[in-house]
Structure formats: structure tokens, C-alpha cells
Amino acid sequence: MWEIIISSLPSLIEAMLKYTIPLALISFAFGMIIAIGVALIKFLNPKINGLLSIFWKLLRLVANFYVWIFRSTPLLVQLFIIFFGLPSIGIKLPPFTAAVIGFSLNTGAYGSETIRSALMSVSKDQWDAAYTLGFSTPQTLWRIIMPQAFRIVLPPLSNEFIGLVKDTSLASTITIAEMFQVSQQIAAQNFQPLLMYVEVAALYAFLCTILSVLQHYLENRSSKFIKGDGN
Amino acid sequence: MLKIKDIKKSFGKKEVLKGISTIFPEKKTTVIVGPSGSGKTTLLRSLDLLVKPDFGIIEFDDLKINFSEPFTNKTANALRDKTSMVFQNWNLFPNLTILQNITEAPIYVQKVNKTTANKQAHELLTEVGLDEYADAYPSELSGGQQQRISICRALAVKPEYILLDEPTSALDPEMETQVLEMLERLSDQGQSMIMVTHNMQFAKNAADKILFIENGKADFDGTKDEFFSTSSPRVKEFLHGISLN
């Protein structure tokens, strides 16, 4: 048994390093950029008039539609549309690019709502205190609100990242030889599906454990300002 | 000199301010009193544009905002530069140290050199006996200490007027005394202040002018001596109600 596990390990780790981790990291990074942008579009109410105001309303409409559509359809279907569907209208994407686009858009939609809720949870009094000191809205967001929101958003966003790491296994369906697909291929050769799938599950669990430890570390760091009860 | 003319504000159908006009003298302490829900806090927040009045005029020397007409963010910011608010629940930034709370606006808004801002902040903290907490976070301090820090934070941007919204109402009597002593010192030093409070002892000790507001209207506007000796039945009733006649 150990022989099978050890002999398959290099191929699985190679797939992890070559596809699973890069796919998760790149998609999460792009997903967060989208999420922050969409969250701010939905959260902020800039005092603008005329054409700019119409443009902002349009942006918000697009943001709402995007979040709705990506939260209302399965990730697997989204990946299939991007990889197998788009070529029929002339958009042919390499598997890795298609997967990054699918995962990023999906993560961005969920992440935007998580970030928006964290921004909303910071007391309005903090905005008032910043405005009375002369801070502009971008300065207030960047220096006062976001650091406080980061602490709140960390656990749910870590959840989403851990979820994404596991969801990368869906990329196997669009021909990417990531860790799960490699385990399927090895199982087809050695006829040890139970062993192979438990082994790959253990590798996913290993990756997610590292992320949980990292989450714990970041939570401690971002909560350093909470020491007493202020009474 | 800060002047307001016919300030009106409604929230939905409820008219909270029904046309208040007054002058807030420079280097003096104006105390705004009145029953709960009379519009005191709304008036104070209007002066810093945290609440935007529906109607009326705010004038500060050459600066004038007429709320019936559109005005630019630049004008609004120019007015805000003249004032700084101290809140009932102090509203310190919990993610910043005490020193950063005080220096953040001078450094990032007023572009004061960091060394100078730190030096000024330490001077303010020393003056209120809290310099040892410069590197602590607000959550490590008591309510009274946090309120004194929030007053330092307001002073650090060198406003012409400090606006205080019931700064002691969330404090126990001992902490209240510490904060009131600090405010009385500031008043003696000639800092222009406008304060909403229920503390009549402070009004007696430090106020130069008292504005009594009821149902969104200024029912009394005069000196503290006139206020405490007024024949107005409503003011008498109010003072009697809070056991200080």
C-alpha cells in the first residue's frame, strides 16, 4: 500500500505545484480585485451629478447583474460555458486561461458581497469622525475603514479561498491535468481508486490546513488593536 | 465668527430644525441645551456638515454656504477645516494607536511633517497627562481617557471652533469630572467651543453664551447670567426638571 502511495506522490505533487496552487492563487488574486471593485461600486454613494451620476448607476446595474448571475449558476456550468461554449462564437481560450477566468469571476461575485458586508459593518461613526477631521472619502476608506473591515472580512474570505482550492478540482473537467485529474489517471492504471482518492483528499486537506494556519496568523495580526474592552 | 441664519432640517416628514439663527462668538464657549429630541445634536452636526441642512445659511468670515443653492465640495471642505467635532462616544479609530489617532489628520490631511505632528501630539498628550499611552490602542484606555484623547485629536487639526456633542454623557461621574476640567481649561484659554450638554454645572462654570432649543427652535439665546436668571417659564421649568435652578 505504502509503495503505491509513495510512487504516486511525485506526480500528484507535480500537478499540485503546476496547476492546483497556481490556479487557486491567480484566480483568488484576480477574484479579489474584482470583488473589491464591485463591492465599492455597490457600497459607495458618491455625490456626483449629471452624466457621471448616470454612469455610476449604470456601473451599479452591471455590478448587480454580475453578482446575481454568478451566484445563481453552478461553477461547473460557468466553466463549461467559458471553455466549451465560447468557441462557438469564436472565442477559444486555452484551458488554464478559461479556468482562471471562471474561478476569478465566481470568486469575485461571492467575495464582493463578503467585502461589502464587512464595509457596512464598520460603524458610520467612524466615517463621521474621519470627515470631521477633514479626510476625503478615499482617504477615509483606505486609512480608517478598510483596515477595520479587513479584520472582519478575513474569516469569510479565508473560507472562500479554501473553497476555491478545493474547487480547482473542477478544472479537471476542462482538460487541465491538475491534482485530481492526475489521481484519476493513476487510479485507472493501478486499479486502486480508494487509495488514490484518499491520497489526493489528504493532499487537499494538507493544503487547506496550511491556509487555516495562515488565516489564524493573519487574524491575530489584524486584531492586535483589540486588547481591552475600553471601559 | 461663525453665524447661522434660518437653518432648517427635516428627516422625512419630521422637521427637526425649524429655522434657527444665531452667532457663535469667537474665543467663547457657547452651550446648547434643551430637552432630548429638541434638535441640539442636529444643529451641531449641521455646523460641520455631517448633517446637510435643507435651508438656511452658514457664514464663517468670508466663507458662506447657502443651502438653497448648490455649493462645491471645496467650499464644504473649507468650512469643515474651521471646525472639528468631539463625539458622545468619542469615536476614536480603533485600528490606530493613540499617537496615530492624533497625528493621522495633521499628517495625511494637512500635510504636516511627521516629526512635527508627533511632537505636537506628544505635547497635547502630556498636557492631559496621557503621554504614557501614546503607543497604546484605544481599547486599552478607559472611556474618560478616550474622550480626553478625542479632544486632543480634535485640537490637533487646530480648528477655529471645537464642536462637542454631549462629550460626558457616556461617562461615569469621576471620568466626567476629568473631561469637564479639561474643557474648562480650554475655555479659559480662549478656545472657541460649541457644546451640546445636559451638564448645567459646566454651563454655569464655563459658558459665555447659552442657546436653549426646543422643538427645533431657539427659545432662548443669551448670556449664561441672563439664562440662569431668566423669567421665561419654559427655561425655568427645564432647569427645574434637571434639578439645578
Side-chain angles (χ1 to χ4, degrees):
Chain A
M1 181 185 85
W2 287 109
E3 204 176 297
I4 295 170
I5 292 174
I6 290 166
S7 67
S8 59
L9 204 53
S11 308
L12 290 172
I13 288 177
E14 189 191 344
M16 182 205 276
L17 295 175
K18 208 169 161 187
Y19 291 111
T20 303
I21 292 177
L23 204 50
L25 282 177
I26 296 170
S27 303
F28 193 71
F30 281 125
M32 283 305 101
I33 293 169
I34 297 168
I36 292 170
V38 172
L40 289 178
I41 289 169
K42 291 180 75 171
F43 176 73
L44 291 174
N45 267 320
K47 292 183 182 81
I48 42 179
N49 300 314
L51 273 180
L52 272 177
S53 154
I54 296 169
F55 176 69
W56 192 263
K57 279 180 188 157
L58 206 66
L59 263 183
R60 188 170 282 180
L61 210 64
V62 172
N64 281 330
F65 177 77
Y66 156 69
V67 172
W68 169 73
I69 200 78
F70 275 86
R71 289 202 310 171
S72 312
T73 53
L75 174 57
L76 188 59
V77 175
Q78 293 161 14
L79 287 175
F80 270 47
I81 289 173
I82 293 167
F83 185 67
F84 295 116
L86 291 184
S88 64
I89 54 164
I91 304 170
K92 196 169 183 316
L93 298 165
F96 192 84
T97 310
V100 165
I101 291 172
F103 289 133
S104 301
L105 289 172
N106 191 273
T107 305
Y110 281 96
S112 68
E113 287 299 276
T114 310
I115 292 170
R116 189 171 68 92
S117 69
L119 291 171
M120 284 166 69
S121 69
V122 177
S123 165
K124 191 186 165 290
D125 294 342
Q126 292 286 299
W127 287 90
D128 285 349
Y131 283 148
T132 193
L133 292 168
F135 284 95
S136 63
T137 299
Q139 281 176 323
T140 306
L141 255 179
W142 182 248
R143 306 208 64 85
I144 310 297
I145 306 299
M146 280 192 166
Q148 293 180 54
F150 180 71
R151 192 185 129 258
I152 299 162
V153 89
L154 202 52
L157 276 191
S158 301
N159 258 351
E160 275 165 37
F161 190 37
I162 287 170
L164 176 62
V165 168
K166 293 180 291 181
D167 284 345
T168 56
S169 61
L170 293 175
S172 64
T173 60
I174 58 166
T175 76
I176 294 177
E178 51 68 62
M179 202 158 59
F180 180 57
Q181 198 189 66
V182 171
S183 75
Q184 284 177 304
Q185 289 164 358
I186 299 172
Q189 288 163 9
N190 64 16
F191 303 109
Q192 293 285 349
L194 178 64
L195 206 58
M196 289 319 303
Y197 295 143
V198 169
E199 185 180 356
V200 81
L203 286 172
Y204 278 113
F206 169 72
L207 266 183
C208 294
T209 307
I210 293 175
L211 292 176
S212 298
V213 172
L214 186 68
Q215 174 192 346
H216 188 68
Y217 168 76
L218 286 173
E219 271 181 37
N220 279 344
R221 267 188 70 92
S222 66
S223 301
K224 65 180 178 180
F225 57 83
I226 299 174
K227 291 182 177 170
D229 60 4
N231 289 313
Chain B
M1 181 91 75
L2 181 58
K3 294 179 196 168
I4 56 171
K5 277 184 203 160
D6 205 16
I7 293 290
K8 291 179 183 170
K9 177 69 188 174
S10 297
F11 293 108
K13 284 182 182 170
K14 186 170 167 54
E15 196 177 15
V16 179
L17 299 178
K18 297 174 181 170
I20 295 184
S21 305
T22 193
I23 293 171
F24 299 101
E26 269 178 316
K27 300 190 187 305
K28 303 280 182 197
T29 297
T30 303
V31 167
I32 304 175
V33 295
S36 296
S38 56
K40 308 183 293 291
T41 294
T42 304
L43 176 65
L44 193 75
R45 290 170 70 85
S46 299
L47 301 177
D48 205 24
L49 302 181
L50 292 177
V51 165
K52 190 181 152 201
D54 302 324
F55 188 85
I57 294 170
I58 295 184
E59 260 184 88
F60 198 111
D61 299 336
D62 298 338
L63 199 69
K64 182 175 173 181
I65 294 183
N66 185 339
F67 293 99
S68 308
E69 296 163 7
F71 56 92
T72 62
N73 278 344
K74 200 178 161 193
T75 315
N77 291 340
L79 180 72
R80 273 204 173 126
D81 287 347
K82 309 276 187 194
T83 57
S84 187
M85 177 95 104
V86 173
F87 299 87
Q88 190 174 354
N89 293 312
W90 35 93
N91 295 355
L92 292 179
F93 305 128
N95 56 312
L96 302 178
T97 64
I98 297 306
L99 188 71
Q100 289 169 329
N101 259 282
I102 299 172
T103 59
E104 198 76 353
I107 293 172
Y108 295 103
V109 178
Q110 300 179 327
K111 309 294 177 201
V112 173
N113 171 288
K114 195 173 177 181
T115 317
T116 312
N118 282 347
K119 188 171 163 275
Q120 287 168 350
H122 280 296
E123 282 168 8
L124 282 167
L125 285 170
T126 306
E127 214 170 295
V128 296
L130 293 171
D131 195 39
E132 62 183 299
Y133 296 106
D135 296 323
Y137 285 94
S139 61
E140 296 173 83
L141 272 62
S142 70
Q145 289 169 325
Q146 290 194 54
Q147 190 58 296
R148 282 186 282 159
I149 300 294
S150 87
I151 296 168
C152 290
R153 181 177 70 174
L155 287 169
V157 293
K158 299 189 169 53
E160 303 213 17
Y161 283 77
I162 291 193
L163 315 175
L164 302 112
D165 184 14
E166 301 193 35
T168 60
S169 64
L171 301 175
D172 67 38
E174 193 186 344
M175 291 176 181
E176 183 180 20
T177 308
Q178 292 170 357
V179 172
L180 289 177
E181 281 172 2
M182 180 180 176
L183 292 174
E184 281 176 30
R185 272 202 310 278
L186 281 174
S187 174
D188 292 344
Q189 287 163 12
Q191 169 68 51
S192 311
M193 293 198 282
I194 304 168
M195 177 162 149
V196 169
T197 186
H198 289 291
N199 190 308
M200 286 301 122
Q201 194 58 52
F202 177 82
K204 272 195 164 174
N205 291 348
D208 296 294
K209 168 180 169 138
I210 293 184
L211 193 64
F212 176 74
I213 296 184
E214 185 160 56
N215 291 326
K217 287 183 191 163
D219 272 5
F220 177 92
D221 186 347
T223 65
K224 75 172 167 194
D225 293 336
E226 287 166 353
F227 181 75
F228 287 106
S229 59
T230 182
S231 55
S232 155
R234 182 59 197 112
V235 172
K236 278 186 164 178
E237 189 190 344
F238 171 76
L239 287 172
H240 181 73
I242 53 175
S243 310
L244 214 158
N245 212 327

